[in-house]
Amino acid sequence: MMVPEALALSAVLFCIGVVGVLTRRNAIIIFMCVELMLNAVNLSFVAFSRLYGMTGQVFVVFVMTVAAAEAAVGLAIIISIFRHRQTVDLTNINLLKG
Amino acid sequence: MPYDLGIPGQLTLALAPDLVLLGGAMALMLVAAWGPESAARQRTVGIGALVLCVAVLAMVIAVAIRQPSAANGVIAVDGFRWAADALFLLAAIIAIALSIDYNPREGILAGEAHVLTLFATGGMMLMAAARDLMVLFLGIELMSIAVYAMVGLNRRSPRAAEGSLKYFLLGAFATAFLLYGIALVYGATGSTNLAEIGERIAALGLSRSPMLLVGIALLLVGFGFKLAAAPFHMWAPDVYEGAPTPISGFMAAGVKAAAFAAFLRVWLEAFPGVYTEWHKAVWWLAATTMVVGNIIALQQKNLKRMLAYSSIGHTGFILVALAAGTPQAATAFLFYLFAYTLATMGAFAVIIAVGQSGGSGDRIEDFHGLWHSNPGLAVAMMVFMLALLGFPVFGGMGFFAKWYVLQAALQAPAPQTRLAIILVITSTISAGYYVWVVMVMFMKQRATDALRIPPMPAMTRWVVTASVALILFFGVYPEPLVRLARASTAVGIAPVDGGPASTAALQGQ
């Protein structure tokens, strides 16, 4: 049923997302990497629901809904920082320190 | 008669306080959006939100007195949930009461600010009720998304925008870890229901399953971020400094308490069978958090940052109770959270009051010689600082909070002696910054050019007075609150204690 393969792919995608978040400095790209991580998890849920029934698929629907809401708020926050600094590069965003 | 959560009507009854709060919040959102932003409308919505919170609090208390119960379902109906709900609502009431006066001063005229607080509180209540990883996830996200926006409420402030961006990116990152953890736990056990997960771990002997252990580790990372436990605490000081002060208090008290309530329930209900495995991780988390939080707090010059590190330190203290993992520890945990909520919110309220002078109010210089200009505020701040320190008598219930956690740690079947020792040592270190604030207020001279602090608005004064009074009252007479906390955990977390898996694991230590 391709479950192990799907799980392996999901793990790889998740790791790519983690590496992206840790190495990139652009807020939008970091956010895209987080979305990649969420969708990697979705893949796992779907694969597991092959084994255990519908719960996993229901979970995926909730995750997608929540991710959409999160994207709305997140992009609004990114716009508000852009208005202040004219950039979304995190290396230039350093008012708070210590 | 226990609720049958399979029947929609009964499920609605079991969720009644949460539904009333969220429904009311949506109605208030309409009121806020109905006309142009103005200070008057902001105040109306704020007072509406306060009334709603008080009504839901009354409802929670009324339900808790009836002591309903439910068989295993997606929602817990037990004393622990009601006690946690009361705590979140208390934090929300304080935060909204402070915001009503604080927001217009900072130019935040959106009434939606209070509605967001209500949504976040609704999410917290869901987290405390969650007996299913799906409900838990929805609760965490409802709370987090609202709080991301709340941090960035002040759109004129670049600091607020920066804090909210940091919180959002790290929070979403942590959510992904949490979610992957949930997926792996589901994959290992085939269920998202906490009780079923616990049963299957015991029945199928999964305590060595790598998938389950990795899942638990990822869950721990996700919760660690929400709790601001070291080494996942980096965001906390930046976010607390950037956020509007009442919201910093709300995050330090409410958000943390909610993450702890969910953490406690998941760990003690679903994972007692793998106690030996997670105990080590929680042990190290508690130890590093106590040390890192309290030592870095020593060098802070900004009070909001100092309180952020102090709240990290307190996360470590509460984790000690969790590492003990007994019902007695759950009682100590509730008592501690109550004391901590009052003291932290109170301290942020004093910062707001001092900030009325026109400055930010969070620099240590603003507190120099406060006793000579505003003796009332200085005494209140002294009580909050000593309560956070856990000083006897003058620190009120803060002393008993630490005392009960220590007792729980030492009397557990697997005594946490070393953690208790670290707790005592780091508490002593924390005196370095708490007592320093007190000293500065009483012994330094007020700067000659210091701005005069006008008298507090009614609601801020009410919050400060009530917090001081409660802290001192329960400091002299903690019995009623302890009895209440014990009763709440006896109903809620008791199944864990009685479970064969947990007792076996605990005795195996």
Side-chain angles (χ1 to χ4, degrees):
Chain A
M1 289 200 297
M2 303 271 286
V3 172
E5 289 84 350
L7 291 179
L9 176 63
S10 142
V12 169
L13 285 176
F14 190 85
C15 292
I16 294 175
V18 173
V19 171
V21 171
L22 295 179
T23 55
R24 293 307 196 98
R25 296 270 57 100
N26 184 306
I28 302 261
I29 294 187
I30 293 179
F31 181 52
M32 281 163 61
C33 291
V34 169
E35 290 293 306
L36 181 65
M37 290 164 75
L38 290 182
N39 283 313
V41 177
N42 280 347
L43 185 58
S44 284
F45 272 121
V46 173
F48 284 130
S49 80
R50 276 281 178 104
L51 303 175
Y52 304 121
M54 289 304 288
T55 318
Q57 304 214 12
V58 176
F59 216 127
V60 170
V61 176
F62 279 118
V63 173
M64 288 196 297
T65 320
V66 165
E70 205 169 50
V73 172
L75 292 175
I77 290 173
I78 294 177
I79 289 175
S80 95
I81 197 118
F82 183 78
R83 284 200 180 136
H84 283 291
R85 331 237 16 170
Q86 316 306 325
T87 173
V88 289
D89 192 333
L90 292 189
T91 38
N92 297 330
I93 298 173
N94 49 11
L95 269 183
L96 302 164
K97 260 207 217 113
Chain B
M1 197 190 78
Y3 288 127
D4 182 352
L5 299 179
I7 303 170
Q10 303 226 357
L11 183 63
T12 314
L13 272 182
L15 271 175
D18 313 54
L19 291 176
V20 170
L21 181 75
L22 291 173
M26 284 186 225
L28 277 172
M29 175 82 105
L30 274 185
V31 175
W34 207 253
E37 279 183 5
S38 70
R41 185 175 296 274
Q42 183 272 134
R43 203 178 172 80
T44 317
V45 175
I47 288 171
L50 265 187
V51 171
L52 183 65
C53 278
V54 173
V56 175
L57 183 60
M59 207 170 148
V60 165
I61 293 170
V63 177
I65 288 170
R66 277 198 304 119
Q67 294 196 336
S69 62
N72 278 337
V74 292
I75 293 292
V77 182
D78 56 28
F80 183 70
R81 173 182 166 198
W82 308 129
D85 281 357
L87 201 66
F88 307 150
L89 287 164
L90 178 75
I93 289 171
I94 297 179
I96 295 172
L98 293 175
S99 299
I100 290 177
D101 294 324
Y102 175 89
N103 284 1
R105 202 175 87 204
E106 297 290 316
I108 307 171
L109 294 181
E112 285 88 345
H114 309 298
V115 180
L116 283 173
T117 314
L118 294 179
F119 281 136
T121 313
M124 292 172 188
M125 288 168 69
L126 267 186
M127 284 167 76
R131 232 189 189 156
D132 190 292
L133 293 175
M134 210 181 292
V135 181
L136 173 74
F137 172 70
L138 290 176
I140 288 184
E141 284 304 283
L142 179 54
M143 173 187 84
S144 302
I145 293 177
V147 176
Y148 300 148
M150 282 155 73
V151 174
L153 267 179
N154 192 350
R155 278 175 298 163
R156 279 165 211 80
S157 154
R159 278 167 191 273
E162 185 177 331
S164 110
L165 181 70
K166 279 187 179 159
Y167 188 44
F168 167 71
L169 288 178
L170 286 175
F173 190 47
T175 303
F177 278 97
L178 186 95
L179 200 61
Y180 203 30
I182 293 177
L184 291 183
V185 169
Y186 169 60
T189 60
S191 172
T192 54
N193 186 295
L194 297 187
E196 271 177 38
I197 292 173
E199 281 163 21
R200 289 192 196 171
I201 289 175
L204 306 175
L206 289 173
S207 62
R208 288 272 170 270
S209 152
M211 193 188 279
L212 180 71
L213 295 182
V214 172
I216 294 179
L218 288 171
L219 271 177
L220 193 64
V221 173
F223 272 115
F225 264 106
K226 298 285 170 209
L227 293 172
F232 312 112
H233 65 285
M234 300 314 217
W235 58 269
D238 291 350
V239 175
Y240 289 9
E241 190 189 343
T245 314
I247 304 306
S248 310
F250 184 66
M251 290 173 70
V255 173
K256 199 179 283 270
F260 261 120
F263 192 61
L264 187 78
R265 195 186 286 284
V266 171
W267 253 247
L268 297 190
E269 223 165 289
F271 303 140
V274 279
Y275 175 81
T276 18
E277 280 78 15
W278 65 251
H279 173 258
K280 260 176 253 141
V282 172
W283 194 98
W284 278 107
L285 204 61
T288 35
T289 308
M290 284 190 282
V291 172
V292 169
N294 284 310
I295 287 183
I296 303 187
L298 284 175
Q299 357 166 320
Q300 299 306 319
K301 297 274 173 273
N302 178 301
L303 274 189
K304 274 165 97 174
R305 285 188 90 80
M306 190 205 88
L307 282 172
Y309 281 108
S310 123
S311 91
I312 293 168
H314 283 278
T315 304
F317 298 152
I318 304 174
L319 278 171
V320 173
L322 216 128
T326 55
Q328 190 194 1
T331 310
F333 163 92
L334 276 181
F335 189 90
Y336 198 106
L337 276 182
F338 189 71
Y340 167 76
T341 302
L342 283 178
T344 307
M345 299 281 314
F348 278 105
V350 174
I351 293 180
I352 292 173
V354 171
Q356 285 182 108
S357 61
S360 55
D362 55 6
R363 294 170 314 149
I364 190 73
E365 296 83 49
D366 295 327
F367 282 79
H368 280 192
L370 190 65
W371 164 251
H372 304 296
S373 65
N374 299 62
L377 270 181
V379 168
M381 193 63 169
M382 180 190 80
V383 170
F384 297 138
M385 287 295 123
L386 294 181
L388 287 171
L389 170 60
F391 198 82
V393 189
F394 297 107
M397 64 192 297
F399 169 72
F400 287 101
K402 279 211 176 122
W403 177 252
Y404 293 137
V405 167
L406 271 178
Q407 236 179 5
L410 293 174
Q411 291 173 358
Q416 310 294 320
T417 320
R418 262 178 271 171
L419 274 186
I421 293 172
I422 301 178
L423 194 157
V424 172
I425 293 175
T426 46
S427 293
T428 320
I429 294 175
S430 73
Y433 54 93
Y434 291 133
V435 174
W436 182 56
V437 174
V438 177
M439 202 195 75
V440 161
M441 288 191 304
F442 285 85
M443 295 186 176
K444 293 251 178 177
Q445 284 304 315
R446 192 117 184 102
T448 39
D449 58 345
L451 297 161
R452 209 182 59 81
I453 299 168
M456 288 180 266
M459 262 187 268
T460 315
R461 191 169 47 225
W462 179 86
V463 165
V464 172
T465 320
S467 308
V468 171
L470 281 175
I471 288 176
L472 290 179
F473 174 77
F474 288 120
V476 180
Y477 192 51
E479 286 311 316
L481 199 64
V482 175
R483 227 176 297 127
L484 218 60
R486 198 171 292 143
S488 317
T489 41
V491 187
I493 302 298
V496 176
D497 178 43
S502 71
T503 24
L506 290 170
Q507 280 158 3
Q509 272 289 293

